Amino acid sequence: MDIFGYIASVFIGISLGLIGGGGSILTVPVLVYLFGIDAFLATEYSLFIVGISSLVGSFSYFKKGLVDLKTAFIFGVPSIVSIFLTRNFLLPLIPDEVFIMRNFVLTKNIFLLLVFAVLMIIASYKMIQKKAELKIEKVPSQNNNILLAAGEGSVVGILTGLVGAGGGFMIIPALVNLLKIPMKAAIGTSLVIISLNSLVGFFSSIDHIRIEWSLLGRISAIAIIGIIIGSQLSNKMDGKKLKPAFGWFILVMGIYIVIKELFF
């Protein structure tokens, strides 16, 4: 199954480079179901893979002046704080056996995968709604917009810390709707935020986990190749037009995870 995992890793990078999000939500399922990695460890690996590939992908946007550093700071700082607290204090509180009913045992791994599946279904809905990101909402005050963006940054940080997803599907709409960032700049800024969030999350909890660096390095390198391809494709095609189809794929994957973990 490893060969399929490496192929999927390319598409993780391509989607990150092309649409600024979505790819990270594939990382944990790829690690768990194609590489056979424990779900908890997969969330840690995902943080590194998503973080390093997003960092590389953000360079091309930065060179084009499509990264708003002030916005990245407003959104990123609350995210980073939330990630640190989640990885170091919330995750360790989750017991190995979360729930037991007769012959069914909801383990920590299954619980994390189910949370991830719900996140995938929510993300798919946002992607399928074609006009969701382009709608500019009227909010009474710019200060309110900044506070809302910071609050959403905290939510993204909790989700990133919990399941290892970058949260681009939440970041980009917030940047466009709340902070009025143009779409292309929102994608570039999103990649910077995702890279900071993910790498901080990874290194803040690395002491508690044994990392297989050779495997992690190979997957990350392939994802980086994918994100370079995606960044180049973004100059030739509109990533927004691909989002609905990608959203349907994410929806099917999310439903598959729920069925597999609960009934098989």
Side-chain angles (χ1 to χ4, degrees):
M1 295 293 284
D2 283 8
I3 184 64
F4 296 107
Y6 292 129
I7 292 171
S9 299
V10 176
F11 287 100
I12 290 169
I14 288 175
S15 61
L16 277 168
L18 189 57
I19 62 179
S24 61
I25 211 162
L26 290 176
T27 309
V28 169
V30 166
L31 293 171
V32 172
Y33 297 117
L34 296 182
F35 288 102
I37 296 173
D38 169 88
F40 177 73
L41 184 59
T43 65
E44 185 75 10
Y45 279 24
S46 176
L47 289 172
F48 182 82
I49 295 165
V50 171
I52 201 70
S53 55
S54 297
L55 182 63
V56 172
S58 68
F59 288 154
S60 63
Y61 285 90
F62 190 82
K63 288 191 295 185
K64 297 172 189 174
L66 295 174
V67 173
D68 189 324
L69 294 178
K70 179 182 177 181
T71 299
F73 178 81
I74 292 171
F75 205 99
V77 170
S79 294
I80 289 171
V81 172
S82 295
I83 290 169
F84 178 82
L85 294 176
T86 301
R87 296 299 294 183
N88 289 279
F89 298 101
L90 179 58
L91 268 178
L93 291 178
I94 301 175
D96 292 333
E97 294 183 350
V98 179
F99 176 76
I100 301 175
M101 186 177 69
R102 296 182 180 177
N103 295 326
F104 177 74
V105 180
L106 181 65
T107 65
K108 184 175 185 176
N109 282 342
I110 294 176
F111 173 74
L112 290 175
L113 286 171
L114 290 176
V115 171
F116 200 90
V118 171
L119 186 62
M120 291 180 79
I121 292 169
I122 295 172
S124 70
Y125 173 78
K126 298 235 179 220
M127 293 177 187
I128 292 167
Q129 297 298 309
K130 297 180 182 180
K131 296 182 180 179
E133 292 178 359
L134 299 177
K135 179 181 176 184
I136 304 298
E137 299 173 358
K138 294 182 179 179
V139 185
S141 165
Q142 181 65 19
N143 289 331
N144 287 344
N145 290 6
I146 292 173
L147 289 174
L148 286 171
E152 189 153 351
S154 298
V155 174
V156 169
I158 293 171
L159 293 175
T160 300
L162 191 62
V163 296
F169 74 95
M170 291 179 63
I171 296 173
I172 293 177
L175 297 183
V176 173
N177 293 332
L178 298 178
L179 300 179
K180 310 299 186 287
I181 305 295
M183 181 58 69
K184 286 284 187 181
I187 293 174
T189 305
S190 172
L191 288 173
V192 171
I193 295 169
I194 291 171
S195 64
L196 289 174
N197 287 354
S198 301
L199 290 175
V200 167
F202 176 79
F203 287 108
S204 68
S205 55
I206 193 175
D207 293 340
H208 311 297
I209 296 171
R210 183 178 178 182
I211 303 295
E212 190 178 340
W213 286 104
S214 58
L215 175 62
L216 186 57
R218 287 195 299 272
I219 299 172
S220 300
I222 293 171
I224 288 171
I225 292 171
I227 204 167
I228 292 172
I229 295 171
S231 298
Q232 294 301 314
L233 289 175
S234 68
N235 297 323
K236 301 176 182 179
M237 63 177 67
D238 190 350
K240 298 188 297 295
K241 295 179 179 178
L242 301 177
K243 270 199 168 184
F246 189 68
W248 283 110
F249 175 72
I250 294 294
L251 176 61
V252 172
M253 286 291 296
I255 295 172
Y256 168 79
I257 291 173
V258 173
I259 293 174
K260 185 179 187 305
E261 296 303 324
L262 288 181
F263 302 106
F264 294 97

